[in-house]
Amino acid sequence: MLDQLYRLQDRIQFVADRERERDTVPAELVEVDREFQERLEAVGRIRERLSQAEKECRQSEADLADLTEKQKKYQSQLRAVQSSREYGAVLNEIDGVEKLIRGTEDRVLSLEEEIEAARRELTERERSLPAETEEHEIRLKDWRAAQRAINEELEAARQEIQRLESEMTPRDRAEFHRLLDKKRGLAVSRVVQSSCSACHVKIRPAAMQILKAGREIVYCDSCKRILYYDPQSS
Ligand SMILES: [Zn+2]
């Protein structure tokens, strides 16, 4: 009877502890997950910027080709002009187009540098990404496997609790749970060296006699817990 009560208390405590453990995400895993998501996002951002820069670069090169075409046209016009007024006007056009060409050339150059840097960074990040992804998956998998294992333990413990409680009268069961609540999970206290192990108060010799006979429930005089006397370990 007391063995069962003691075991029941133990299993109830076990369930509470393991549930807490199962529902607490390890701090290092929260951090690992955040870091991994950041690395993924960084790769996405670089890729996006790279394709944007490539597009801008192609556009600038097309502009440059148009401008060079214009420059050639003005240069041939220059050779055919008749008046000095017309000559000055064409020279002006050439001046303007050359300024645009220089600006566009600078733009192409800086875009090419940007593209090259982005490609380098992307290659580097993409090289380490598969290993990082795998490592991340393994860590998550370990966590999920640990949770599954805990759930299995919980299932077994809950079945045992149910079985132990079904062997008690409803009144005893209610009484026991009331005591458990009142004593914060420790309703049954082991007797160690003739003392209550919860409050360390010595047990009267007469009460020890009753405990040793093992036929009645004895409460600790001091803390009012149910005393559990186990001849093997007392
Ligand atoms: Zn006590």
Side-chain angles (χ1 to χ4, degrees), residues 25-215:
V25 180
E28 83 270 9
L29 212 60
V30 174
E31 185 66 12
V32 157
D33 198 51
R34 194 179 57 76
E35 279 174 13
F36 181 68
Q37 295 308 328
E38 272 173 15
R39 282 198 289 267
L40 278 185
E41 281 165 20
V43 167
R45 271 198 306 276
I46 296 165
R47 251 191 219 131
E48 203 172 303
R49 182 59 204 138
L50 178 60
S51 95
Q52 185 63 27
E54 283 169 341
K55 209 171 107 192
E56 282 172 30
C57 193
R58 280 193 299 275
Q59 185 56 53
S60 293
E61 280 168 342
D63 291 348
L64 200 58
D66 288 348
L67 289 168
T68 310
E69 209 45 50
K70 245 184 210 165
Q71 184 193 31
K72 273 189 201 151
K73 202 184 78 195
Y74 289 134
Q75 275 164 348
S76 61
Q77 270 180 26
L78 197 63
R79 283 190 292 274
V81 289
Q82 306 295 324
S83 70
S84 65
R85 200 184 61 83
E86 207 184 332
Y87 190 84
V90 176
L91 262 191
N92 247 356
E93 294 286 2
I94 290 177
D95 222 38
V97 109
E98 281 177 346
K99 220 175 267 169
L100 283 175
I101 286 174
R102 279 194 300 277
T104 310
E105 278 173 345
D106 286 349
R107 176 110 185 96
V108 168
L109 218 64
S110 85
L111 280 168
E112 279 174 349
E113 277 170 15
E114 192 186 336
I115 287 166
E116 202 191 323
R119 281 191 184 138
R120 243 195 333 263
E121 196 181 352
L122 203 56
T123 307
E124 206 154 299
R125 281 179 180 266
E126 281 177 336
R127 197 169 36 226
S128 59
L129 205 56
E132 285 168 359
T133 305
E134 197 185 351
E135 191 191 341
H136 185 248
E137 283 302 309
I138 286 168
R139 283 166 121 156
L140 284 189
K141 213 156 54 190
D142 285 352
W143 165 237
R144 289 192 198 109
Q147 282 184 312
R148 271 198 303 275
I150 290 174
N151 278 337
E152 278 168 28
E153 288 179 343
L154 282 172
E155 182 55 31
R158 286 201 189 97
Q159 275 173 17
E160 193 179 343
I161 288 169
Q162 211 170 28
R163 184 180 60 74
L164 288 167
E165 286 186 343
S166 73
E167 288 163 6
M168 297 163 81
T169 68
R171 211 190 116 142
D172 284 351
R173 193 161 58 227
E175 187 68 28
F176 179 68
H177 276 280
R178 197 156 47 234
L179 195 59
L180 259 186
D181 285 346
K182 210 160 112 185
K183 301 295 178 187
R184 290 185 188 156
L186 191 70
V188 185
S189 173
R190 199 180 262 279
V191 174
V192 179
Q193 288 169 346
S194 302
S195 294
C196 164
S197 65
C199 70
H200 306 292
V201 166
K202 203 105 186 136
I203 295 154
R204 287 176 295 108
M208 276 309 290
Q209 288 306 315
I210 301 170
L211 274 172
K212 281 175 181 167
R215 280 192 292 270

Side-chain angles (χ1 to χ4, degrees), residues 189 196 198-201 220-225 227:
S189 173
C196 164
C199 70
H200 306 292
V201 166
C220 171
D221 283 339
S222 170
C223 70
K224 316 295 181 204
R225 288 184 171 92
L227 291 170

